[in-house]
Amino acid sequence: MSEGWELAARAVLIGSGATLATDLWARLLKYTFGVPLPDWRMVGRWLGHMPRGRFVHRGMARAAPVHGERVVGWVAHYAIGIVFAAMLIAIAGVAWARQPTPVPALLFGLSTVAFPFLLMQPCMGAGFAASNAPAPNRARLRSVLNHAVFGVGLYVTALLVAGWMPG
């Protein structure tokens, strides 16, 4: 397998595994503490309005529904995880993907919280770092924890992939 295909395969597997880790974490929080699951329909709705020239909303729940928004949101959720994994591999290098260490994955995972804080939440009506959310500090903490779990997922999945797909 060429190095390009190897990197692409690793990014898909690592990103999907890390995203799955965040989904399992969300389920654990729901069943343990009653924390509502993320509503990926809202991400699909946000993305679905973009071809119509609408990028910023006062609140996604008030925006008009978009056909297939649930599927679009879930696909985007996993696609973003894969893109983030590809970015980590590009930054840390293929050597990291072949022999993962925890620090790059954890730091990168935590850094990805900038995406919702600076782009998604403001554009979807929640404000900068969820400042307009009903409980901003709780929303921020949940975002940071979710992205920390994503970082752990990057590392653990990279370990599994490295054992299964040696370089």
Side-chain angles (χ1 to χ4, degrees):
M1 173 183 321
S2 74
E3 188 170 284
W5 282 110
E6 175 192 352
L7 295 176
R10 287 182 191 275
V12 168
L13 293 170
I14 293 167
S16 297
T19 304
L20 178 61
T22 65
D23 292 337
L24 294 173
W25 169 253
R27 294 257 175 218
L28 176 70
L29 292 177
K30 174 164 179 50
Y31 294 115
T32 306
F33 302 108
V35 175
L37 292 170
D39 189 354
W40 298 112
R41 285 179 315 138
M42 296 300 106
V43 173
R45 186 173 295 179
W46 177 52
L47 294 171
H49 280 275
M50 288 181 182
R52 301 173 185 144
R54 187 89 194 270
F55 297 90
V56 178
H57 301 264
R58 288 185 184 207
M60 288 314 306
R62 294 188 310 244
V66 174
H67 179 72
E69 63 189 23
R70 183 180 311 277
V71 171
V72 171
W74 275 99
V75 169
H77 174 52
Y78 274 82
I80 291 165
I82 291 166
V83 168
F84 282 158
M87 291 170 62
L88 170 60
I89 294 169
I91 292 166
V94 68
W96 176 86
R98 291 176 180 156
Q99 294 184 308
T101 55
V103 172
L106 296 173
L107 291 177
F108 186 80
L110 282 169
S111 76
T112 63
V113 80
F115 186 64
F117 278 4
L118 302 176
L119 179 67
M120 292 179 73
Q121 291 168 353
C123 289
M124 294 172 74
F128 172 77
S131 59
N132 296 338
N137 288 334
R138 187 177 318 153
R140 291 176 189 127
L141 178 61
R142 196 161 49 208
S143 289
V144 170
L145 290 174
N146 289 343
H147 287 260
V149 169
F150 180 72
V152 170
L154 287 168
Y155 174 62
V156 170
T157 307
L159 278 176
L160 294 170
V161 171
W164 172 72
M165 191 172 122

